[in-house]
Amino acid sequence: MATMAAGGLTDEEQRTWRNFARAARLLFAQLDRDLSRDAGMVPGAFELLVILSEAPNRALRMNELAEATLSSPSRISHAIERLAELGWVERTTCPSDRRGWLAVLTDKGYEALAAAAPPHIEHIRTHLFEGLSDNDVAELGRICNTILSRLPASGAAGGGCAAE
Amino acid sequence: MATMAAGGLTDEEQRTWRNFARAARLLFAQLDRDLSRDAGMVPGAFELLVILSEAPNRALRMNELAEATLSSPSRISHAIERLAELGWVERTTCPSDRRGWLAVLTDKGYEALAAAAPPHIEHIRTHLFEGLSDNDVAELGRICNTILSRLPASGAAGGGCAAE
DNA sequence: AGCTCCTATTTGAGTGCTCAACTGTTGCTG
DNA sequence: CAGCAACAGTTGAGCACTCAAATAGGAGCT
């Protein structure tokens, strides 16, 4: 029944596209659920905390956060406000540029991250990697890197940014 | 800097995970933007229209829609209401089960889908497939299918459901 | 019939995201 | 050193999704 969604894709491409979309969405949904159940963490908060924890002085400017998470300044602004209400980050003015703000990970935020990380990583392993061979993992990484490199404003190759 | 997010993953796994997550999110975000720009279609609406268009009589029950799109009954209920307001679907009572409702794709909805599909597919090709070899496509499909098959409540293999 | 449990769906409150203004800074240019 | 475009970030409205509660019909048992 290769009707509407078929267009100019081969059968193989259609299958791959649907599998890729389903796998990605289901996987992210599962991980988000796990994270919110285990750590009471809203989807996306974890990523912000990780990135901050890896930054020098555990601090980053808002636009750097936006870039690192591939999201809009607006989203970062809202999200950091929520994290600040939880006491997980603090905002300090940027010394070198009075327009800017630094989001700083607090000790409390670091602890929340430290508590959330191990189960989360375990879930990534069980849901994503456990069924894949070493070769599959390498192939998947390579292919995704290729996809990334062709997407607008991606920052592909090796892991991008300072987030590694 | 393999700190918090490292845990029990190898370097290769970390790289693959980050590339996969970035590629998937960036790709979906791009396609959603394209779709909403070209067709004024909210993310997710397209998928519903496709599934309805492929169903017998262009009609499906709410729970079937939920299953096919891997989403909650609640989301379907809200989403179909929005599509109904646009005149793209209609709701009729289900003859065999008075609890149920059928969502039926209208001609207007079919036209909207027919207009939206070609550019969308073209975008899938350019963003996802154009940089991949035939072998990459096959590998990616196979790997995603493996991932799917190990995820709870997935319905993997060959394309799942009637959606092919 | 009547009871009870299960399934199908809707509803509404709450929350996070997007998009389009808006405020305040910086730094280039004449 | 004005003037002004570009930049950094916030704000608020609007919308889509989630979760829990509510409605309502079916199915099986006695």
Side-chain angles (χ1 to χ4, degrees):
Chain A
M1 183 143 310
T3 55
M4 211 75 254
L9 301 181
T10 66
D11 284 356
E12 178 103 57
E13 285 172 337
Q14 280 184 73
R15 239 192 331 273
T16 294
W17 162 241
R18 298 219 184 191
N19 279 350
F20 180 75
R22 286 176 83 88
R25 285 200 315 191
L26 221 60
L27 178 60
F28 295 148
Q30 181 66 50
L31 289 173
D32 283 350
R33 263 195 307 276
D34 292 340
L35 211 41
S36 103
R37 178 170 34 70
D38 297 346
M41 228 173 246
V42 117
F46 184 83
E47 187 188 13
L48 282 172
L49 297 182
V50 169
I51 290 177
L52 281 176
S53 79
E54 293 174 347
N57 291 98
R58 295 182 184 167
L60 236 34
R61 288 185 59 169
M62 305 302 267
N63 58 356
E64 296 175 307
L65 276 173
E67 225 173 293
T69 58
L70 302 173
S71 52
S72 68
S74 177
R75 176 184 172 272
I76 297 299
S77 186
H78 287 298
I80 289 293
E81 187 184 349
R82 288 187 293 267
L83 293 181
E85 276 166 16
L86 289 170
W88 289 353
V89 307
E90 270 168 8
R91 301 158 110 148
T92 56
T93 59
C94 178
S96 60
D97 185 340
R98 254 176 299 177
R99 290 171 301 182
W101 289 88
L102 287 170
V104 191
L105 187 65
T106 63
D107 289 348
K108 190 173 166 192
Y110 189 85
E111 281 162 27
L113 176 58
H120 183 240
I121 290 166
E122 193 47 36
H123 286 132
I124 294 177
R125 189 214 309 298
T126 59
H127 293 322
L128 175 59
F129 290 122
E130 216 165 78
L132 303 181
S133 70
D134 288 356
N135 190 56
D136 289 343
V137 174
E139 280 289 281
L140 180 60
R142 183 184 58 73
I143 292 172
C144 288
N145 194 51
T146 303
I147 296 170
L148 263 181
S149 68
R150 301 181 40 85
L151 247 24
S154 60
C161 310
E164 183 87 9
Chain B
M1 185 148 309
T3 55
M4 212 74 255
L9 300 181
T10 66
D11 285 357
E12 178 104 59
E13 285 171 338
Q14 281 183 74
R15 242 193 325 276
T16 294
W17 163 242
R18 299 219 183 192
N19 279 350
F20 180 75
R22 286 175 85 87
R25 286 200 314 191
L26 221 59
L27 178 60
F28 294 148
Q30 181 66 50
L31 290 173
D32 283 350
R33 262 195 307 278
D34 291 341
L35 210 41
S36 102
R37 178 171 34 69
D38 297 346
M41 226 173 248
V42 118
F46 184 81
E47 187 188 12
L48 283 173
L49 296 183
V50 169
I51 290 177
L52 281 177
S53 78
E54 293 174 348
N57 291 99
R58 296 183 184 167
L60 236 33
R61 288 187 58 169
M62 305 303 267
N63 58 355
E64 295 175 309
L65 276 172
E67 225 174 291
T69 58
L70 301 173
S71 54
S72 67
S74 177
R75 177 185 170 272
I76 296 300
S77 186
H78 287 298
I80 289 293
E81 187 184 349
R82 289 187 292 268
L83 293 181
E85 276 166 17
L86 289 170
W88 290 352
V89 306
E90 270 168 9
R91 300 157 110 151
T92 57
T93 59
C94 177
S96 60
D97 185 339
R98 254 177 299 176
R99 291 171 300 181
W101 289 88
L102 287 170
V104 190
L105 187 65
T106 62
D107 288 348
K108 189 172 167 193
Y110 190 85
E111 280 162 26
L113 176 59
H120 184 240
I121 290 167
E122 192 47 37
H123 287 130
I124 294 177
R125 189 212 310 298
T126 59
H127 294 322
L128 176 58
F129 290 121
E130 213 165 80
L132 303 182
S133 70
D134 287 355
N135 190 58
D136 289 343
V137 174
E139 279 290 281
L140 181 59
R142 184 185 57 74
I143 292 172
C144 288
N145 194 51
T146 304
I147 296 170
L148 263 181
S149 68
R150 302 182 40 84
L151 247 25
S154 58
C161 312
E164 182 87 8

